[in-house]
Amino acid sequence: MKFTINRIEFLKALRIATGVINPRPVLPILTGVKMELRDDTLTLTGSDGDISIFSKMYANDTNQLHFHEEGGVVLDAKILLNAVSKFESETINLEIMDGAYTKLSGGSAEININGSNLDAYPKIEIMKNDIEFNIEEERLKDLIRRTIFAVAHPGTNEDKPFLTGVNVRNKEGDLTFASSNTFRVAIASEEIYPVSDFSVTIPSKTMHEISKHLTGMITVGIANTTASFKTKDAYIQTRLVDGLYPDLTRLVPSDTNSDISIDQDVLVGAIDRAAIIKEETIPVIGLVLNNHEVFVKAKSQELGSTEEKLDVTLEKACDSSLKVAFNGNYLREAVKSYPKGNVVLKVIGPKSPMIVTDSINSKNLNIIMSLNVEV
């Protein structure tokens, strides 16, 4: 294999392919990136065994890719990334010299890397999809952004491993993303053209890679045990998370005690000021409704207290006073997941969850469990 390529464009493609590589994989060869030059296409592959990313480069004026000889090699991803980033030349040359011994050169610099043959890399089977649909980059990434923050961290819900992913389901053209760590729920929906109904759970790691790297129109594919995300220049295939994910939309309370409309920035500012008073890592924020007025409070016997009256519109007001406590981090992340403008807090009771939604689409919402703490 031998080719010349623009260094910056090559580096971009490498970062896409190597994003999922685990530095301590089950198979040592998976610390490497597979490079294959066939049919005027340079394909870079990275995998952790569960998620695989294929980054494709076709010759054009931007990447200055020139093919000299077909072939392939597997090179240590970390070493290759460091090597390419350290060159100062506009273009670099890559050539397999002997077996898998590979030379990179640019300007007056030369770096040689011991690689592995292609047959040492495990075969990644591209699964045939049962369902496929197209979605614009902005819409898909917005669905991910609105839900990814609420997934459970690995190891925190060992009896419910499916909570480490984002559930993606389609029902009659209503595409819904949902996530939860049992203490909060995030739900976001978009309409798509009719395809067969489905429900799958995508690993959060895959969602992060999609958000970072995929651009343009994205073709989403659903198979029995995998899902795929395809653009002109990249292809991501991921194993699905095992387990039956519950329909979180059924958890949405049907009635509320008080509905509060408030500017997003105003509420975030109040939360940040109240979060200064925290005894441990979790800021406990109190929401107090009293005589049609709304306050944000926090208190600690050792540290002090804070209280701030909010400028709100009560779309639905309760007649009696109401106090409820929440995890301030969860409330802040829920509020920040919406575009600039007003958000609506739907309060149910002192020991009940609260709904956070926007004033545009009531299908996009968060549910935050209350804390059994005096405020």
Side-chain angles (χ1 to χ4, degrees):
M1 181 175 68
K2 182 179 180 181
F3 62 86
T4 302
I5 192 168
N6 179 277
R7 185 181 67 87
I8 298 300
E9 295 302 314
F10 188 38
L11 193 58
K12 289 178 183 178
L14 279 172
R15 285 172 174 160
I16 293 174
T18 59
V20 296
I21 291 179
N22 187 332
R24 292 181 293 276
V26 176
L27 299 175
I29 191 67
L30 291 180
T31 58
V33 58
K34 176 183 174 183
M35 294 190 295
E36 194 166 11
L37 186 58
R38 296 276 188 270
D39 302 323
D40 295 334
T41 303
L42 176 63
T43 303
L44 311 176
T45 304
S47 178
D48 66 356
D50 293 322
I51 308 167
S52 301
I53 299 182
F54 306 85
S55 180
K56 294 182 178 293
M57 302 189 75
Y58 311 94
N60 56 45
D61 293 338
T62 301
N63 60 39
Q64 299 174 275
L65 180 56
H66 296 285
F67 309 114
H68 302 294
E69 185 179 340
E70 291 189 343
V73 70
V74 181
L75 298 178
D76 183 277
K78 184 177 180 180
I79 293 175
L80 181 60
L81 277 169
N82 285 337
V84 175
S85 65
K86 298 302 181 184
F87 280 102
E88 297 180 351
S89 56
E90 180 182 359
T91 62
I92 61 173
N93 306 300
L94 187 146
E95 181 180 5
I96 299 177
M97 304 301 294
D98 182 19
Y101 187 71
T102 305
K103 180 178 75 172
L104 282 76
S105 59
S108 59
E110 179 180 308
I111 299 176
N112 298 294
I113 304 174
N114 287 318
S116 300
N117 294 322
L118 290 180
D119 56 11
Y121 201 87
K123 179 177 175 58
I124 300 172
E125 182 181 2
I126 302 301
M127 306 301 292
K128 182 179 179 181
N129 294 318
D130 301 313
I131 297 171
E132 285 190 350
F133 62 92
N134 295 327
I135 185 169
E136 296 86 353
E137 169 196 351
E138 295 79 7
R139 295 176 68 198
L140 179 58
K141 290 184 178 180
D142 189 58
L143 289 167
I144 295 173
R145 181 184 61 81
R146 289 174 179 266
T147 52
I148 190 68
F149 61 88
V151 300
H153 295 296
T156 57
N157 285 270
E158 294 183 356
D159 58 331
K160 300 175 181 178
F162 53 84
L163 292 181
T164 60
V166 176
N167 181 246
V168 180
R169 67 176 64 209
N170 175 65
K171 186 175 182 181
E172 299 177 352
D174 191 15
L175 182 66
T176 300
F177 282 41
S179 61
S180 176
N181 65 355
T182 71
F183 299 106
R184 58 176 171 179
V185 171
I187 300 172
S189 296
E190 285 273 359
E191 290 184 359
I192 59 171
Y193 65 82
V195 296
S196 301
D197 290 356
F198 65 85
S199 176
V200 296
T201 304
I202 310 294
S204 58
K205 183 177 179 180
T206 304
M207 293 301 198
H208 283 298
E209 294 303 315
I210 293 168
S211 295
K212 286 190 294 184
H213 300 306
L214 296 193
T215 58
M217 184 63 72
I218 299 171
T219 300
V220 181
I222 306 297
N224 186 37
T225 59
T226 63
S228 63
F229 302 84
K230 180 182 179 182
T231 66
K232 178 184 177 182
D233 302 318
Y235 185 88
I236 298 177
Q237 179 172 276
T238 179
R239 288 185 184 176
L240 300 175
V241 180
D242 293 333
L244 181 62
Y245 207 102
D247 184 357
L248 297 181
T249 60
R250 296 182 179 180
L251 300 178
V252 181
S254 58
D255 194 21
T256 57
N257 198 315
S258 183
D259 294 354
I260 306 163
S261 179
I262 182 172
D263 181 80
Q264 181 196 71
D265 290 337
V266 171
L267 181 54
V268 169
I271 294 170
D272 288 343
R273 286 184 286 274
I276 296 172
I277 306 298
K278 63 178 180 180
E279 294 183 340
E280 296 182 359
T281 57
I282 300 175
V284 177
I285 305 297
L287 193 66
V288 179
L289 287 72
N290 188 22
N291 295 327
H292 298 268
E293 294 180 329
V294 180
F295 300 85
V296 167
K297 292 186 175 183
K299 67 178 182 179
S300 166
Q301 290 185 346
E302 295 182 358
L303 302 177
S305 63
T306 177
E307 178 179 316
E308 183 172 345
K309 181 181 177 181
L310 300 178
D311 182 13
V312 303
T313 299
L314 290 173
E315 298 180 353
K316 180 181 179 182
C318 60
D319 296 326
S320 58
S321 62
L322 179 63
K323 298 180 180 180
V324 59
F326 299 99
N327 180 320
N329 292 335
Y330 289 176
L331 181 56
R332 188 183 195 280
E333 288 179 327
V335 173
K336 290 286 288 183
S337 70
Y338 298 105
K340 294 292 184 181
N342 278 22
V343 294
V344 179
L345 309 180
K346 296 178 177 288
V347 184
I348 300 171
K351 295 184 180 180
S352 300
M354 178 173 67
I355 300 172
V356 182
T357 185
D358 60 16
S359 56
I360 300 174
N361 184 357
S362 60
K363 291 183 178 180
N364 297 324
L365 57 87
N366 287 259
I367 304 173
I368 304 174
M369 306 305 165
S370 60
L371 300 176
N372 189 22
V373 178
E374 182 69 25
V375 293

